[in-house]
Amino acid sequence: MPDAASLKSRAAAAVTDHRAEILELSHRIHANPEPAFEERLAAGWVAEALGRHGYAVELGVGSLPTAVRGRLAGGLGADGPRIGVLAEYDALPGLGHGCGHNTMAASGVGAAIALAAVRDAFAGEIVFLGTPAEERGSGKGIMIREGAFDGLDAALLYHPCDRSHVDGDALASEDVEVVFTGLQAHASSDPWKGRNALDAMIALFVSVGLWRQQLPPHARVHGIIQEGGTAANIIPDRTRAWFMIRSADQAHYAVMRERFRALAEAAAMAADCGVEVIFSGGSMTMNTNPTLAALWVANATAHGVVEQGPDPFAGSTDMGNVSWVVPTIHPDLAIADEPTPGHSTAFRDAAASPKGDETTLLAATLVAETAIDLLADPALVARAWAELRRQR
Ligand SMILES: [Zn+2]
Ligand SMILES: [Zn+2]
C-alpha cells in the first residue's frame, strides 16, 4: 500500500471536500436533540450518510434499534486490521446537546467518509459503530455484551471539551434509581396514620451529604428527586430519585455501591417505609492504549494541536468499558477557547459554534489519520493488543 503520509493527506482532503455534508449533519442533530435510547432521527441520518459513501449499513444492532453499524472492506482485501470508528449522538434531558455528541456523530461520519476515499489503498476493514445511550444506560456496554465489538482491533472516538488532551481518567459509575414507598394520609387531620416517603428521601440526601466527607477526592455521588409527592396536604406515599455514584478506582467503586445501598435501606427504616434500589447502566474506568495515544498525539501535533494533559477531574463514559476489551483511545479536543463546563447551555452553544465546527472536521481528520497509521502498519495493532493484555 502507498505510504501513510500520502494516504493521510488524501483523507484530510476528503474531509475538506465533504465539509458541508459533515457540518450539516452536526447541526441537524444539534437542532433535534434526542435522549438516550431514543436517538431515532440521529441514527437514521448517520446510517443514510454512511450508505451514501459505500458502507454496508445496518440500522439497529442487536437489541438496540438506534445503534448503527457500517462496514467497508479495503480495496486490497478485507484481510488486515479491523478498525472501529465510533460515534455517539444522544442528548441530555432538558438541555439538548450540552455534551456536544452531535460533533461526535458528525466527526465519526466524517472519518468514515475520509477512509472510504482511500479505500483503494488499504487491506483491512473499517467498522463504523454508532453507539446510543452514553449519557444513561451505557449503550456500549450492551453492545459489548451482544458481540458488536468482537473482532475489532482498535476503537477510536473523540469527545468535545474545553481543552485538548489524549488521556482522561474516566470514573467507574452507575445509575441508581431509588424508590421509597410509604402510606398516604391527610397531612393535617391525621398525619400519624401515614408513613412519609419524602422523609425517607430527605434522610437519604442528608446521609449522602454526610458520607461525602469520608469519600476520597476521586469519588462522586450526586442525584435529583424525580418524584417528591403530589400535594402539600397529602403525606407522600411514593418518592423516587435518580442518583449516580462514581469512583476512579474500580475496587473502591464496589465498596461505594454497597454503602449507598445501606444508606438507602437505613433511610427507609428511619421513616418506616419500603425501598427499592435499582442499579443500571454502568461505566468502567478508562484504559487509554499507549500505542494508539502516541499515534493520535503525533497526528494532532502535526495539525497544530497542543496536548494539554489530562483533566484534573473527570466524568464517566462507556468508552471505559470498550477500553478493556479492545485497544481504545477517547481523546478530547477543545470546541471552546474559554473555560466552558460540560453539561451546560454554554457548552451546548459551543457544540454548534464556528470553533465547534472546525473541531468536528479536525476530529474527523485525526480519527481517519490514526486509522490509516494502523492499516499501514499492522505491527502497531499487535503492539496495542500486547499492551491491552498486559493492562488487563
Ligand atoms: Zn459526552
Ligand atoms: Zn455527557
Side-chain angles (χ1 to χ4, degrees):
M1 76 185 260
D3 68 297
S6 75
L7 288 188
K8 286 183 191 179
S9 44
R10 279 173 60 195
V15 170
T16 304
D17 289 347
H18 295 87
R19 174 190 174 94
E21 181 182 356
I22 296 164
L23 296 183
E24 195 275 333
L25 178 64
S26 179
H27 286 258
R28 197 162 9 134
I29 293 174
H30 190 269
N32 294 275
E34 301 165 295
F37 298 112
E38 296 172 27
E39 314 94 329
R40 282 174 284 273
L41 293 173
W45 295 330
V46 164
E48 257 169 41
L50 294 171
R52 277 197 299 275
H53 291 274
Y55 283 75
V57 183
E58 298 159 70
L59 175 55
V61 179
S63 67
L64 296 174
T66 57
V68 177
R69 178 161 48 202
R71 293 178 176 278
L72 182 97
L76 305 180
D79 245 8
R82 192 172 288 146
I83 308 302
V85 171
L86 273 54
E88 291 174 8
Y89 29 70
D90 61 329
L92 289 155
L95 180 55
H97 276 290
C99 207
H101 293 184
N102 59 299
T103 70
M104 300 167 79
S107 63
V109 166
I113 291 173
L115 289 163
V118 299
R119 174 185 200 168
D120 58 292
F122 68 82
E125 190 179 23
I126 308 303
V127 180
F128 178 99
L129 290 176
T131 62
E134 190 278 335
E135 294 291 357
R136 175 183 70 80
S138 193
K140 293 181 197 65
I142 297 169
M143 293 177 77
I144 289 168
R145 286 195 292 282
E146 295 180 351
F149 286 84
D150 292 357
L152 289 193
D153 285 313
L156 312 175
L157 177 62
Y158 123 95
H159 197 289
C161 189
D162 60 354
R163 303 167 67 253
S164 296
H165 56 98
V166 70
D167 200 357
D169 302 316
L171 310 179
S173 83
E174 263 176 312
D175 294 298
V176 199
E177 186 179 61
V178 181
V179 180
F180 290 108
T181 44
L183 190 64
Q184 281 182 338
H186 194 291
S188 174
S189 63
D190 42 11
W192 42 84
K193 292 181 183 165
R195 286 185 277 117
N196 193 326
L198 184 57
D199 285 354
M201 185 61 81
I202 290 166
L204 176 57
F205 270 84
V206 170
S207 301
V208 164
L210 296 173
W211 184 32
R212 284 197 184 101
Q213 195 195 355
Q214 268 66 51
L215 286 173
H218 61 69
R220 294 285 183 276
V221 52
H222 43 91
I224 59 168
I225 298 177
Q226 295 180 296
E227 292 176 44
T230 55
N233 55 4
I234 306 170
I235 299 292
D237 68 337
R238 177 185 159 90
T239 54
R240 185 168 60 93
W242 174 12
F243 279 90
M244 295 188 75
I245 52 180
R246 318 192 197 219
S247 175
D249 180 300
Q250 201 77 44
H252 175 256
Y253 176 77
V255 176
M256 279 184 78
R257 191 180 197 273
E258 290 321 303
R259 179 86 176 129
F260 181 86
R261 186 194 295 280
L263 295 183
E265 286 168 357
M269 197 184 291
D272 195 17
C273 287
V275 64
E276 253 193 304
V277 182
I278 304 147
F279 291 87
S280 67
S283 295
M284 297 172 73
T285 53
M286 176 64 66
N287 179 37
T288 300
N289 183 267
T291 292
L292 301 191
L295 296 173
W296 175 273
V297 170
N299 288 320
T301 304
H303 284 272
V305 176
V306 176
E307 166 66 38
Q308 295 175 285
D311 287 324
F313 303 106
S316 305
T317 168
D318 56 7
M319 274 304 271
N321 305 43
V322 176
S323 74
W324 293 100
V325 297
V326 177
T328 292
I329 47 169
H330 193 33
D332 280 0
L333 291 173
I335 60 166
D337 293 318
E338 301 292 314
T340 308
H343 292 195
S344 67
T345 51
F347 200 84
R348 181 188 68 197
D349 295 345
S353 68
K355 167 93 179 178
D357 287 349
E358 289 316 311
T359 300
T360 300
L361 299 169
L362 175 63
T365 303
L366 294 179
V367 166
E369 291 187 345
T370 304
I372 288 168
D373 284 324
L374 297 170
L375 291 162
D377 185 0
L380 293 170
V381 172
R383 197 207 292 171
W385 269 105
E387 288 163 350
L388 176 58
R389 285 191 197 100
R390 267 203 305 281
Q391 287 157 335
R392 322 195 259 223

